[in-house]
């Protein structure tokens, strides 16, 4: 755990003092050095603390903070005793330490610290219980950049060292984040990932500050978001999700506003006046001449709901109580230190999400990032899907301009940070220019972005980034959105639940208390109910977050369950994965409602052949005229992420920024419906992609002269459960008897313990020893916890103490109950079987017989 470093620091400090042999200051240097160096090990670049520096003409600092590259290798001619820091200043500044009794802010204002600052640029002043970072201020003079106080007084500090674990649990996470920033702060700020890392640290600090806040304004805002999105934040996870979402929105809003401010502020000088005028017209009370001020962010964000949301979150009246003003001031100061020319030279606008969404979330709230399953869709996948949609619009639906045709309305129902929408706009721009683009291209592009290329997103944080990315993309394409219109022009991305609201409400909708929320909901409803959507594409979410409960989605996947039991005999099925709801939504809007169009999703590949999806496949075959399936494999369970030749087969989502990827295999499905009438049976084309080059191979396949020749034809039919995977099955095979025809008893599942296999073991003797102890009435509960812990825990329908008491009073231990159990083919184990419930979850007497 992160707080272990802080716990160890407090333990070290306490032990040194309790030795009663220490001096007031220098005895504590080793504890501080150890703490800072261990934190620095996990930074990039790594940072190391070195105590006692040589005199470089400004005095003797107590320590220095050096980055990894300063530990240069010695050459053959160098003396082995040479100090490797002799000719280098510590790149992260120096340390001035004083005894815990000292006032750290008084020390920070001394001439000695000023001399260090002039020589080294950054000084971390500490009395071991509080820290003050002194650096250059806006006027060019030294000032306090950031501070952190662990204990207000010396006596309070020593009390904390007496209980280091409790102190670390309360203060450790914030202290750790502060010290991380100190070690990074003097790093050159020009690379986007470095800026994202520091902002994520500030956001992390902000999240910790509001976790326990209980303000009425937060409750009101929570209710408004629930009403606008048609969901509920439930339980502790829902509360954590809500507060984490607010902080993400706040910081993404600040970052987005800074990007817009910086790009316009650094534009040609004759445009600066226009920028200032635009800010004033938007209602900004002032315009900062010298630098960026986070308080101007609402006036730079063009989406009314986003402005309202940001104002509510960033209202100083609320922030003062939440303790966030200080953190946001630090954030603005950091952004003002960025070398903007270098930043925007390396800031590929198309990949802003790589730095400011997925990695940001990992650093800011890794637990939430894992549960949400946030995955950046690689550019190759996005481009392939968009190019294929454009191609089939031309070849299958007779639209010569593809996505550029003004009649083509596009929707990404789970648009995240807007990656697919940006790619669609780029494809439209290419087509328009290829046709001999003129001055109207920019107007056509802007009109498309506002009126027929739509995105829905349910999470405010990626919604912010989506608007930033689309705004930047349109600027790059020469079609910038205007801030001076009333209301400001905006891209067609809406904060809404994509799975609800497609039918007009039967009753008047509830008024939402915050301005802009009603308008956002109504605008999204207009798209859902009025726009003739022809294309639905994207990367639907794989899982629903446990803390968010959407309102009833009108039995969206019920048609995929109809007949599973009665016709197919499937009693257990998994149709609750979120992505299948988006397939049903797309089928409903394109095939049933519109009668014509295209669907392109990359998703879990389970629908290709899993029995649970047999009805879904059946419906796709009835509703669509042509289906192309690109199986991207990369599944951890089915293939172990290996190719048929045994070579690595990573997830297609495994990138430089996210090497792990995802565990499930994926597939790109492209489904086309030409019109209401059907001329022939649906053609299903299928192909595999394997290995580490699959994304490049996928893109390269677009250049094939005969594109369809790259596929096999699948033959979905009833005997193969309408599988979309090709198979080589002779006609005679269907005449063979089924296993059901050969059975003597009805099929049954095996015995089931649901006790983490406490009663099943490959080793007979080990199982015997464990179960014998469980039956020993003299064995204490504490003893059982060390021998067979799985059976001393409570589970659903299993009270551990009552279950054991019932077993001991009902039957004795019997050797004949140690029996072989066949888990899987060629997986034979031993079990202890008893019919006394609820030791086994299901006793399956027929199976045992």
């Amino acid at each position: 755990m992160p707080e272990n470093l802080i716990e160890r620091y407090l333990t070290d400090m306490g032990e040194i003092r309790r030795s009663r042999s220490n001096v007031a200051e220098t005895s504590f240097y080793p504890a501080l050095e150890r703490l800072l160096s261990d934190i620095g090990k996990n930074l990039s670049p790594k940072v190391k603390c070195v105590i006692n520096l040589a005199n470089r003409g400004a005095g003797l600092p107590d320590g220095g903070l050096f980055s990894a590259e300063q530990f240069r290798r010695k050459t053959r001619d160098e003396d082995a005793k040479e100090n490797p820091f002799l000719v280098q200043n510590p790149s992260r500044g120096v340390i001035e330490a004083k005894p815990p009794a000292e006032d750290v802010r008084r020390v920070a204002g001394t001439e000695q610290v000023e001399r260090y600052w002039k020589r080294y640029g950054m000084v971390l002043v500490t009395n071991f219980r509080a820290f003050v970072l002194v650096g250059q201020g806006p006027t060019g003079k030294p000032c306090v950049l950031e501070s952190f106080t662990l204990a207000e007084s010396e006596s309070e500090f020593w009390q904390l060292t007496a209980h280091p674990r409790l102190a670390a649990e309360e203060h450790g996470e914030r202290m750790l984040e502060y010290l991380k920033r100190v070690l990074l702060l003097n790093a050159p700020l020009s690379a986007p990932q470095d800026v994202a890392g520091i902002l994520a640290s500030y956001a992390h600090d902000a999240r910790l500050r509001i976790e326990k806040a209980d303000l009425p304004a937060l409750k009101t805002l929570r209710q408004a978001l629930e009403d606008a999105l048609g969901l509920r934040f439930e339980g502790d996870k829902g509360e954590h999700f809500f507060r984490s979402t607010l902080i993400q929105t706040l910081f993404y809003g600040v970052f987005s506003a800074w990007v817009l401010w910086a790009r316009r502020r650094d534009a040609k000088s004759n445009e600066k006046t226009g920028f200032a005028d635009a800010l004033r017209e938007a209602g900004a009370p002032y315009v900062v001449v010298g630098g960026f001020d986070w308080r101007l962010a609402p006036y730079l964000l063009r989406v009314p709901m986003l402005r309202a949301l940001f104002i509510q979150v960033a209202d100083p009246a609320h922030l003062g109580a939440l303790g966030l003003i200080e953190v946001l001031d630090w954030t603005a100061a950091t952004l003002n230190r960025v070398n903007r020319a270098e930043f925007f030279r390396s800031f590929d606008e198309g990949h802003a999400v790589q730095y400011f969404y997925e990695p940001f979330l990992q650093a800011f709230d890794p637990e939430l990032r894992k549960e949400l399953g946030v995955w950046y869709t690689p550019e190759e996948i996005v481009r392939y899907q968009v190019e294929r949609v454009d191609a089939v619009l031309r070849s299958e639906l007779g639209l010569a301009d593809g996505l550029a045709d003004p009649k083509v309305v596009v929707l990404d129902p789970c648009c995240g940070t807007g990656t697919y929408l940006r790619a669609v706009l780029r494809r439209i721009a290419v087509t328009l220019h290829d046709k001999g683009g003129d001055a109207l291209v920019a107007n056509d592009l802007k009109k498309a972005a506002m009126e027929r290329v739509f995105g829905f997103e349910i999470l405010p944080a990626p919604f912010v980034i989506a608007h930033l990315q689309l705004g930047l993309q349109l600027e790059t394409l020469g079609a910038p959105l205007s801030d001076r219109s009333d209301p400001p022009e905006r891209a067609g991305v809406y904060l809404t639940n994509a799975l609800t609201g497609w039918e007009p409400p039967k009753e008047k909708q509830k008024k939402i208390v915050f301005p802009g929320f009603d308008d956002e909901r109504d605008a999204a409803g207009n798209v859902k109910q009025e726009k003739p959507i022809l294309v639905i594409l994207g990367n639907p979410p794989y899982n629903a977050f446990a803390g968010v409960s959407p309102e009833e989605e009108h039995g969206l996947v019920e048609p995929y369950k109809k007949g599973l039991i009665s016709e197919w005999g499937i009693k257990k099925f998994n149709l609750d994965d979120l992505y299948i709801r988006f397939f049903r939504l797309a089928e409903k809007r394109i095939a049933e409602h519109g009668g014509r169009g295209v669907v392109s999703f990359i998703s879990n590949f389970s629908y290709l052949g899993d029995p649970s999806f047999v009805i879904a496949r059946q419906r796709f075959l009835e509703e669509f005229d042509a289906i192309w399936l690109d199986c991207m494999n990369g599944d951890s369970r089915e293939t172990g992420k290996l190719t048929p030749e045994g070579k690595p087969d990573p997830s297609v989502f495994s990138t430089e920024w996210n090497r792990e990827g995802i565990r499930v295999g994926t597939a790109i499905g492209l489904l086309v419906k030409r019109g209401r009438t059907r001329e022939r049976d649906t053609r299903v084309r299928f192909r595999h992609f394997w290995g580490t080059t699959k994304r490049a191979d996928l893109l390269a396949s677009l250049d094939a002269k005969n594109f369809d020749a790259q596929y096999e034809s699948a033959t979905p039919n009833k005997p193969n459960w309408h599988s979309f995977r090709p198979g080589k099955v002779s006609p005679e095979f269907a005449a063979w008897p089924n296993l059901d025809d050969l059975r003597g008893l009805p099929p049954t599942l095996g015995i089931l313990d649901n006790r983490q296999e406490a009663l099943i073991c490959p080793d007979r003797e080990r199982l015997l020893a464990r179960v014998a102890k469980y039956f020993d009435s003299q064995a204490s509960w504490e003893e059982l916890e060390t021998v067979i812990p799985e059976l001393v825990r409570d589970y659903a329908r299993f009270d551990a103490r009552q279950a054991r008491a019932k077993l001991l009073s009902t039957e004795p231990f019997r050797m004949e109950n140690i029996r072989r159990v066949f888990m899987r083919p060629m997986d034979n184990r031993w079990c202890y079987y008893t019919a006394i419930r609820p030791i086994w979850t299901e006793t399956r007497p027929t199976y045992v017989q």
Side-chain angles (χ1 to χ4, degrees), residues 75-254:
T75 67
R76 184 176 301 172
D77 297 328
E78 286 180 320
D79 184 83
K81 296 180 181 180
E82 181 188 356
N83 184 344
F85 307 105
L86 189 59
V87 296
Q88 302 180 77
N89 276 348
S91 67
R92 300 296 187 267
V94 295
I95 300 169
E96 175 62 13
K98 294 296 182 184
E102 291 276 0
D103 181 345
V104 73
R105 288 202 173 258
R106 183 198 66 77
V107 176
T110 61
E111 291 183 7
Q112 182 185 30
V113 169
E114 185 173 0
R115 285 198 307 272
Y116 289 159
W117 169 78
K118 287 179 179 178
R119 180 68 177 83
Y120 300 102
M122 199 80 72
V123 187
L124 177 63
V125 184
T126 181
N127 56 10
F128 301 98
R129 60 181 173 85
F131 300 83
V132 169
L133 185 64
V134 177
Q136 181 172 307
T139 62
K141 295 182 179 181
C143 73
V144 174
L145 299 181
E146 246 191 281
S147 62
F148 176 83
T149 301
L150 182 61
E152 293 291 345
S153 66
E154 183 183 14
S155 60
E156 182 185 338
F157 177 64
W158 294 126
Q159 288 175 13
L160 293 180
T161 65
H163 305 283
R165 178 164 297 177
L166 292 175
E169 287 177 355
E170 183 174 355
H171 305 288
E173 203 168 357
R174 281 195 58 212
M175 181 173 173
L176 189 68
E177 288 298 320
Y178 169 79
L179 292 174
K180 282 182 183 178
R181 294 196 297 272
V182 167
L183 299 182
L184 288 171
L185 205 55
N186 206 32
L189 284 182
S190 58
Q193 57 266 43
D194 293 339
V195 179
I198 292 178
L199 263 57
S201 179
Y202 286 135
H204 189 89
D205 191 315
R207 179 176 64 81
L208 294 173
R209 292 181 183 221
I210 75 161
E211 275 186 346
K212 297 179 181 179
D214 187 24
L215 296 178
L218 286 181
K219 294 180 180 178
T220 306
L221 182 57
R222 172 176 170 157
Q223 182 67 51
L225 271 176
E226 289 180 336
D227 292 341
L229 301 177
L231 52 78
R232 293 290 176 263
F233 302 111
E234 296 182 337
D236 291 341
K237 282 191 172 184
E239 185 65 31
H240 174 82
F241 174 84
F242 166 68
R243 292 177 184 239
S244 186
T245 294
L246 286 189
I247 294 299
Q248 285 183 72
T249 305
L250 184 61
F251 276 81
Y252 287 138
V254 169

Side-chain angles (χ1 to χ4, degrees), residues 561-698:
K561 299 177 182 179
K562 190 175 181 180
L564 278 179
I565 298 175
S566 60
E567 185 178 348
W568 296 92
I570 300 175
K571 297 179 181 179
K572 295 190 73 173
F573 46 82
N574 181 17
L575 289 168
D576 294 325
D577 286 345
L578 203 53
Y579 84 91
I580 203 65
R581 298 186 198 177
F582 282 88
F583 261 114
R584 172 58 187 146
L585 170 68
E587 178 205 353
K588 191 173 182 181
R589 303 315 302 175
I590 297 298
E592 297 177 17
H593 183 78
R596 184 170 180 254
V598 180
V599 178
S600 176
F601 281 154
I602 181 168
S603 69
N604 187 323
F605 70 178
S606 54
Y607 74 96
L608 299 180
D610 190 298
S612 294
F613 300 89
V614 60
I615 303 297
R617 291 191 294 273
Q618 212 173 355
R619 291 183 63 91
F620 294 167
L621 293 169
E622 293 169 355
E623 298 281 8
F624 293 95
D625 298 294
I627 299 174
W628 289 263
L629 299 163
D630 298 302
C631 183
M632 308 309 295
N633 293 295
D635 186 79
S636 63
R637 294 161 296 183
E638 187 171 301
T639 64
K641 291 188 178 291
L642 296 174
T643 70
E645 296 76 28
K647 296 181 179 179
D649 182 43
S651 164
V652 75
F653 288 91
S654 176
T655 66
E656 178 186 354
W657 308 103
N658 171 36
R659 297 188 182 280
E660 180 185 358
I662 60 177
R663 297 187 63 188
V664 299
T666 55
I668 300 171
L670 178 65
L671 297 77
V672 175
K673 185 173 183 65
R674 301 186 186 99
R676 294 286 185 190
T677 57
R678 307 237 358 229
E679 299 176 0
R680 54 184 180 274
D681 290 341
T682 303
R683 178 83 179 271
V684 179
R685 300 173 176 89
F686 181 98
R687 61 176 171 170
H688 281 292
F689 285 90
W690 298 97
T692 57
T693 63
K694 64 178 76 174
R695 291 200 306 273
D697 297 340
L698 182 73

Side-chain angles (χ1 to χ4, degrees), residues 761 763-774 813-815 818 830 832:
C761 185
D763 187 314
R764 182 179 185 276
E765 297 307 315
R766 183 149 47 106
L767 175 69
L768 180 58
R770 298 175 74 200
V771 175
K773 179 64 71 174
Y774 187 70
F813 170 79
R814 295 179 178 144
M815 282 297 295
I818 300 284
W830 294 92
Y832 184 88

Side-chain angles (χ1 to χ4, degrees), residues 237-292:
K237 282 191 172 184
E239 185 65 31
H240 174 82
F241 174 84
F242 166 68
R243 292 177 184 239
S244 186
T245 294
L246 286 189
I247 294 299
Q248 285 183 72
T249 305
L250 184 61
F251 276 81
Y252 287 138
V254 169
F255 171 71
S256 297
W258 174 78
V259 170
L260 297 172
W261 173 87
R263 287 171 66 88
R264 296 172 196 177
R265 180 69 179 78
D266 296 338
K268 293 181 297 185
S269 58
N270 63 351
E271 294 178 358
K272 292 178 183 177
T273 303
F275 174 53
D277 289 344
L279 273 176
R280 292 190 183 95
E281 288 174 12
Y286 59 90
V287 177
V288 179
V289 176
F292 172 73

